[in-house]
Amino acid sequence: MTMFKGKTAIVTGSARGIGQAIAMDLARNGADLVICDVKAEWLSETEALLRELGGKVTCKELDVTNAEACQQVFNQVAEENGRIDVLINNAGITRDGLLMRMSDEDWDAVLTVNLKGTFNCTKAVSRIMMKQRSGSIVNIASVVGIMGNAGQANYAASKGGVIAFTKSVAKELASRNIRANAIAPGFISSKMTDALSDEVRQKMLEAIPLNAFGTPQDVADAVTFLAGDKSSYITGQVLSVNGGMIMQ
Ligand code: NAI
Protein backbone atom coordinates (compact mmCIF):
# COMPACT_ATOMS: atom_id res chain seq x y z
CA MET A 1 0.00 0.00 0.00
CA THR A 2 1.33 3.41 -0.86
CA MET A 3 -1.20 5.79 0.69
CA PHE A 4 1.54 7.45 2.76
CA LYS A 5 4.49 6.98 0.37
CA GLY A 6 7.10 9.71 1.00
CA LYS A 7 5.21 10.98 4.04
CA THR A 8 6.51 11.21 7.60
CA ALA A 9 4.33 10.28 10.57
CA ILE A 10 5.12 10.77 14.27
CA VAL A 11 3.38 8.61 16.87
CA THR A 12 3.85 9.53 20.55
CA GLY A 13 3.84 6.79 23.18
CA SER A 14 4.50 4.19 20.49
CA ALA A 15 6.63 1.73 22.52
CA ARG A 16 3.65 -0.57 23.07
CA GLY A 17 -0.11 -1.03 22.96
CA ILE A 18 -2.29 1.14 20.76
CA GLY A 19 0.60 3.43 19.76
CA GLN A 20 2.58 0.46 18.48
CA ALA A 21 -0.40 -0.78 16.44
CA ILE A 22 -0.90 2.72 14.98
CA ALA A 23 2.78 2.98 13.99
CA MET A 24 2.66 -0.46 12.35
CA ASP A 25 -0.49 0.33 10.37
CA LEU A 26 0.85 3.65 9.07
CA ALA A 27 4.10 1.91 8.09
CA ARG A 28 2.17 -0.84 6.29
CA ASN A 29 0.54 1.94 4.31
CA GLY A 30 3.92 3.32 3.25
CA ALA A 31 4.72 6.03 5.83
CA ASP A 32 8.19 6.81 7.16
CA LEU A 33 7.77 6.42 10.92
CA VAL A 34 9.09 8.41 13.85
CA ILE A 35 8.35 6.50 17.03
CA CYS A 36 8.86 8.21 20.37
CA ASP A 37 8.23 7.38 23.99
CA VAL A 38 9.25 8.51 27.46
CA LYS A 39 10.47 4.92 27.91
CA ALA A 40 13.06 5.01 25.13
CA GLU A 41 14.37 1.59 26.19
CA TRP A 42 10.97 0.05 25.33
CA LEU A 43 11.05 1.35 21.73
CA SER A 44 13.23 -1.50 20.47
CA GLU A 45 10.24 -3.86 20.17
CA THR A 46 8.26 -1.46 17.95
CA GLU A 47 11.42 -0.59 16.06
CA ALA A 48 12.14 -4.27 15.26
CA LEU A 49 8.56 -4.83 14.07
CA LEU A 50 8.74 -1.74 11.84
CA ARG A 51 12.12 -2.73 10.40
CA GLU A 52 10.59 -6.04 9.30
CA LEU A 53 8.18 -3.98 7.19
CA GLY A 54 11.17 -2.34 5.50
CA GLY A 55 10.32 1.36 5.67
CA LYS A 56 12.29 4.22 7.23
CA VAL A 57 12.18 4.22 11.04
CA THR A 58 13.50 6.84 13.48
CA CYS A 59 13.42 6.37 17.26
CA LYS A 60 13.35 9.32 19.65
CA GLU A 61 13.23 9.51 23.40
CA LEU A 62 10.50 12.05 24.16
CA ASP A 63 8.56 13.03 27.25
CA VAL A 64 5.54 14.85 25.86
CA THR A 65 5.23 16.90 29.05
CA ASN A 66 8.48 18.69 28.13
CA ALA A 67 7.49 21.41 25.64
CA GLU A 68 11.06 22.34 24.77
CA ALA A 69 11.98 18.72 24.05
CA CYS A 70 8.90 18.33 21.82
CA GLN A 71 9.93 21.32 19.69
CA GLN A 72 13.54 20.15 19.56
CA VAL A 73 12.68 16.59 18.50
CA PHE A 74 10.13 17.72 15.90
CA ASN A 75 12.56 20.28 14.43
CA GLN A 76 15.17 17.51 14.17
CA VAL A 77 12.69 15.24 12.39
CA ALA A 78 11.66 18.01 9.98
CA GLU A 79 15.32 18.59 9.17
CA GLU A 80 16.14 14.88 8.75
CA ASN A 81 13.01 13.89 6.81
CA GLY A 82 12.29 17.21 5.12
CA ARG A 83 8.71 17.28 6.43
CA ILE A 84 6.17 16.08 8.99
CA ASP A 85 2.84 15.08 7.46
CA VAL A 86 1.11 13.29 10.32
CA LEU A 87 1.15 13.62 14.12
CA ILE A 88 -0.65 11.07 16.29
CA ASN A 89 -0.97 12.22 19.91
CA ASN A 90 -1.31 8.83 21.56
CA ALA A 91 0.82 9.03 24.75
CA GLY A 92 -1.46 8.75 27.75
CA ILE A 93 -1.66 7.55 31.34
CA THR A 94 -4.28 6.77 34.00
CA ARG A 95 -4.17 7.34 37.78
CA ASP A 96 -7.64 6.14 38.76
CA GLY A 97 -9.35 6.89 42.07
CA LEU A 98 -12.53 8.37 43.49
CA LEU A 99 -12.66 12.15 43.65
CA MET A 100 -12.70 12.24 47.45
CA ARG A 101 -9.42 10.36 47.56
CA MET A 102 -7.78 11.74 44.43
CA SER A 103 -4.49 13.46 45.22
CA ASP A 104 -3.39 16.69 43.55
CA GLU A 105 -0.46 14.70 42.24
CA ASP A 106 -2.68 12.16 40.45
CA TRP A 107 -4.85 14.94 39.00
CA ASP A 108 -1.83 16.87 37.76
CA ALA A 109 0.02 13.85 36.37
CA VAL A 110 -2.90 12.78 34.16
CA LEU A 111 -3.79 16.29 32.97
CA THR A 112 -0.13 17.02 32.27
CA VAL A 113 0.59 13.95 30.14
CA ASN A 114 -2.77 13.57 28.39
CA LEU A 115 -3.80 17.18 27.80
CA LYS A 116 -0.68 19.34 28.15
CA GLY A 117 1.33 16.70 26.27
CA THR A 118 -1.15 16.87 23.39
CA PHE A 119 -0.90 20.68 23.46
CA ASN A 120 2.93 20.59 23.52
CA CYS A 121 3.22 18.24 20.55
CA THR A 122 0.49 19.93 18.52
CA LYS A 123 2.00 23.38 19.04
CA ALA A 124 5.46 22.12 18.10
CA VAL A 125 4.26 20.40 14.91
CA SER A 126 1.91 23.20 13.88
CA ARG A 127 4.86 25.52 13.17
CA ILE A 128 6.28 22.96 10.76
CA MET A 129 2.95 22.02 9.18
CA MET A 130 1.98 25.68 8.68
CA LYS A 131 5.14 26.27 6.67
CA GLN A 132 4.33 23.20 4.57
CA ARG A 133 0.70 24.24 4.29
CA SER A 134 -0.42 20.67 4.91
CA GLY A 135 -0.75 18.16 7.71
CA SER A 136 -3.05 15.86 9.61
CA ILE A 137 -3.21 15.58 13.40
CA VAL A 138 -5.07 12.77 15.16
CA ASN A 139 -5.54 12.88 18.92
CA ILE A 140 -6.40 9.77 20.89
CA ALA A 141 -9.17 10.70 23.33
CA SER A 142 -11.52 8.19 24.99
CA VAL A 143 -15.19 7.30 25.31
CA VAL A 144 -14.73 8.40 28.92
CA GLY A 145 -14.00 11.93 27.70
CA ILE A 146 -17.53 12.00 26.27
CA MET A 147 -19.58 10.20 28.92
CA GLY A 148 -17.47 10.49 32.10
CA ASN A 149 -16.61 7.59 34.40
CA ALA A 150 -16.70 7.14 38.17
CA GLY A 151 -13.15 6.77 39.46
CA GLN A 152 -11.63 8.54 36.46
CA ALA A 153 -12.42 12.24 37.00
CA ASN A 154 -8.85 13.22 36.09
CA TYR A 155 -8.69 10.96 33.01
CA ALA A 156 -12.18 11.95 31.80
CA ALA A 157 -11.37 15.64 32.21
CA SER A 158 -8.11 15.21 30.29
CA LYS A 159 -9.80 13.37 27.41
CA GLY A 160 -12.78 15.73 27.31
CA GLY A 161 -10.18 18.49 27.14
CA VAL A 162 -8.43 16.73 24.26
CA ILE A 163 -11.72 16.68 22.34
CA ALA A 164 -12.40 20.41 22.86
CA PHE A 165 -8.75 21.18 22.08
CA THR A 166 -8.98 19.19 18.83
CA LYS A 167 -12.01 21.16 17.64
CA SER A 168 -10.33 24.50 18.43
CA VAL A 169 -7.12 23.53 16.64
CA ALA A 170 -9.15 22.30 13.65
CA LYS A 171 -10.76 25.73 13.38
CA GLU A 172 -7.46 27.60 13.76
CA LEU A 173 -5.45 25.56 11.27
CA ALA A 174 -7.99 24.68 8.58
CA SER A 175 -7.03 27.68 6.43
CA ARG A 176 -3.47 26.29 6.27
CA ASN A 177 -4.76 22.93 5.02
CA ILE A 178 -4.05 21.24 8.36
CA ARG A 179 -6.73 18.92 9.73
CA ALA A 180 -7.21 17.84 13.35
CA ASN A 181 -9.48 15.03 14.47
CA ALA A 182 -9.91 12.88 17.55
CA ILE A 183 -10.61 9.21 18.07
CA ALA A 184 -12.58 8.10 21.10
CA PRO A 185 -11.81 4.42 21.70
CA GLY A 186 -14.03 2.42 24.00
CA PHE A 187 -12.71 -0.61 25.85
CA ILE A 188 -9.57 -1.72 24.02
CA SER A 189 -7.55 -4.73 25.15
CA SER A 190 -4.07 -3.55 26.11
CA LYS A 191 -1.59 -3.56 28.98
CA MET A 192 -3.42 -0.55 30.44
CA THR A 193 -6.73 -2.45 30.60
CA ASP A 194 -5.29 -5.92 31.36
CA ALA A 195 -4.91 -4.64 34.92
CA LEU A 196 -8.71 -4.60 35.44
CA SER A 197 -10.41 -7.42 37.38
CA ASP A 198 -12.44 -10.14 35.59
CA GLU A 199 -15.59 -8.83 37.24
CA VAL A 200 -15.08 -5.31 35.88
CA ARG A 201 -14.26 -6.68 32.44
CA GLN A 202 -17.46 -8.80 32.37
CA LYS A 203 -19.56 -5.79 33.38
CA MET A 204 -18.03 -3.67 30.62
CA LEU A 205 -18.65 -6.41 28.03
CA GLU A 206 -22.35 -6.33 28.87
CA ALA A 207 -22.43 -2.65 27.91
CA ILE A 208 -20.99 -3.24 24.43
CA PRO A 209 -23.60 -4.07 21.72
CA LEU A 210 -21.00 -5.78 19.49
CA ASN A 211 -20.22 -7.96 22.53
CA ALA A 212 -16.44 -7.80 22.27
CA PHE A 213 -13.59 -5.58 23.40
CA GLY A 214 -11.82 -3.65 20.69
CA THR A 215 -8.27 -4.35 19.59
CA PRO A 216 -5.41 -1.89 19.10
CA GLN A 217 -5.78 -2.67 15.37
CA ASP A 218 -9.40 -1.41 15.44
CA VAL A 219 -8.09 1.95 16.69
CA ALA A 220 -5.19 1.91 14.22
CA ASP A 221 -7.59 1.41 11.27
CA ALA A 222 -9.54 4.52 12.29
CA VAL A 223 -6.33 6.50 12.81
CA THR A 224 -4.98 5.57 9.38
CA PHE A 225 -8.25 6.73 7.83
CA LEU A 226 -8.18 10.10 9.62
CA ALA A 227 -4.44 10.60 9.06
CA GLY A 228 -4.61 10.09 5.31
CA ASP A 229 -6.12 11.70 2.23
CA LYS A 230 -9.22 9.46 2.27
CA SER A 231 -10.54 11.81 4.97
CA SER A 232 -9.42 15.06 3.34
CA TYR A 233 -12.83 16.75 3.87
CA ILE A 234 -13.06 15.74 7.55
CA THR A 235 -11.77 17.98 10.33
CA GLY A 236 -12.71 18.78 13.93
CA GLN A 237 -14.54 15.46 14.33
CA VAL A 238 -14.55 12.76 16.98
CA LEU A 239 -14.67 9.23 15.62
CA SER A 240 -15.88 6.68 18.19
CA VAL A 241 -14.36 3.18 18.05
CA ASN A 242 -16.33 1.50 20.80
CA GLY A 243 -18.43 -1.43 19.52
CA GLY A 244 -21.55 0.69 19.93
CA MET A 245 -20.96 1.35 23.65
CA ILE A 246 -22.34 4.85 23.19
CA MET A 247 -24.10 6.13 20.08
CA GLN A 248 -24.29 9.83 19.29
P1 NAI B 1 -0.19 1.92 27.22
O1 NAI B 1 0.06 2.28 28.65
O2 NAI B 1 -0.06 0.51 26.81
O3 NAI B 1 0.79 2.81 26.29
C1 NAI B 1 0.99 4.16 26.51
C2 NAI B 1 2.38 4.55 26.06
O4 NAI B 1 2.55 5.95 26.31
C3 NAI B 1 3.49 3.82 26.85
O5 NAI B 1 4.45 3.29 25.98
C4 NAI B 1 4.08 4.90 27.73
O6 NAI B 1 5.45 4.72 28.04
C5 NAI B 1 3.85 6.15 26.89
N1 NAI B 1 3.87 7.37 27.68
C6 NAI B 1 3.34 7.58 28.91
N2 NAI B 1 3.66 8.80 29.36
C7 NAI B 1 4.38 9.41 28.37
C8 NAI B 1 5.02 10.68 28.24
N3 NAI B 1 4.96 11.59 29.22
N4 NAI B 1 5.67 10.96 27.08
C9 NAI B 1 5.75 10.03 26.10
N5 NAI B 1 5.21 8.80 26.18
C10 NAI B 1 4.53 8.49 27.31
O7 NAI B 1 -1.63 2.52 26.86
P2 NAI B 1 -2.64 2.19 25.66
O8 NAI B 1 -3.76 1.41 26.20
O9 NAI B 1 -1.92 1.70 24.47
O10 NAI B 1 -3.23 3.66 25.39
C11 NAI B 1 -2.79 4.50 24.34
C12 NAI B 1 -3.74 5.71 24.26
O11 NAI B 1 -5.07 5.27 24.04
C13 NAI B 1 -3.77 6.54 25.55
O12 NAI B 1 -3.88 7.90 25.21
C14 NAI B 1 -5.03 6.06 26.23
O13 NAI B 1 -5.56 7.03 27.09
C15 NAI B 1 -5.93 5.83 25.02
N6 NAI B 1 -7.04 4.93 25.28
C16 NAI B 1 -6.86 3.63 25.64
C17 NAI B 1 -7.94 2.81 25.85
C18 NAI B 1 -7.79 1.39 26.22
O14 NAI B 1 -8.81 0.73 26.45
N7 NAI B 1 -6.58 0.85 26.29
C19 NAI B 1 -9.31 3.31 25.70
C20 NAI B 1 -9.39 4.68 25.31
C21 NAI B 1 -8.29 5.45 25.09
Side-chain angles (χ1 to χ4, degrees), residues 220-231:
D221 286 335
V223 169
T224 296
F225 168 66
L226 286 177
D229 291 343
K230 294 255 185 204
S231 61

Side-chain angles (χ1 to χ4, degrees), residues 16 18 37-38 62-64 90 140-141 155 159 186 188 190 193:
R16 65 181 198 183
I18 293 171
D37 204 286
V38 68
L62 180 64
D63 179 348
V64 297
N90 165 80
I140 307 302
Y155 184 75
K159 295 300 190 178
I188 307 298
S190 73
T193 50

Side-chain angles (χ1 to χ4, degrees), residues 54-147:
K56 183 173 178 184
V57 188
T58 311
C59 298
K60 301 277 184 194
E61 176 171 4
L62 180 64
D63 179 348
V64 297
T65 67
N66 183 340
E68 223 172 280
C70 291
Q71 191 67 65
Q72 219 168 33
V73 165
F74 290 8
N75 286 349
Q76 256 173 28
V77 170
E79 221 163 88
E80 288 162 12
N81 288 27
R83 52 192 303 108
I84 300 176
D85 301 283
V86 171
L87 167 66
I88 314 298
N89 282 306
N90 165 80
I93 60 166
T94 51
R95 294 270 192 284
D96 296 351
L98 293 172
L99 176 66
M100 291 299 289
R101 284 197 292 266
M102 186 173 287
S103 65
D104 286 16
E105 207 181 27
D106 284 348
W107 173 269
D108 289 344
V110 170
L111 268 290
T112 305
V113 175
N114 298 5
L115 186 54
K116 180 90 188 307
T118 298
F119 162 74
N120 287 339
C121 292
T122 303
K123 188 174 171 189
V125 89
S126 69
R127 299 198 166 110
I128 294 155
M129 288 180 170
M130 280 166 81
K131 270 193 215 142
Q132 272 170 204
R133 294 200 163 260
S134 72
S136 180
I137 299 163
V138 182
N139 298 327
I140 307 302
S142 167
V143 67
V144 164
I146 300 169
M147 67 179 205

Side-chain angles (χ1 to χ4, degrees), residues 164-176:
F165 173 74
T166 303
K167 293 176 181 175
S168 305
V169 167
K171 287 187 176 179
E172 283 188 29
L173 301 182
S175 64
R176 306 295 181 102

Side-chain angles (χ1 to χ4, degrees), residues 146-239:
I146 300 169
M147 67 179 205
N149 198 22
Q152 289 196 308
N154 51 358
Y155 184 75
S158 74
K159 295 300 190 178
V162 164
I163 289 171
F165 173 74
T166 303
K167 293 176 181 175
S168 305
V169 167
K171 287 187 176 179
E172 283 188 29
L173 301 182
S175 64
R176 306 295 181 102
N177 193 32
I178 300 165
R179 298 182 298 110
N181 291 287
I183 302 229
F187 191 98
I188 307 298
S189 306
S190 73
K191 290 205 170 90
M192 195 189 253
T193 50
D194 284 351
L196 298 169
S197 71
D198 283 352
E199 197 188 325
V200 172
R201 295 167 71 84
Q202 191 48 43
K203 259 220 168 105
M204 296 194 76
L205 207 47
E206 282 162 18
I208 303 171
L210 284 179
N211 198 36
F213 302 130
T215 63
Q217 185 59 43
D218 291 325
V219 179
D221 286 335
V223 169
T224 296
F225 168 66
L226 286 177
D229 291 343
K230 294 255 185 204
S231 61
S232 56
Y233 197 54
I234 300 177
T235 196
Q237 304 303 309
V238 183
L239 179 52

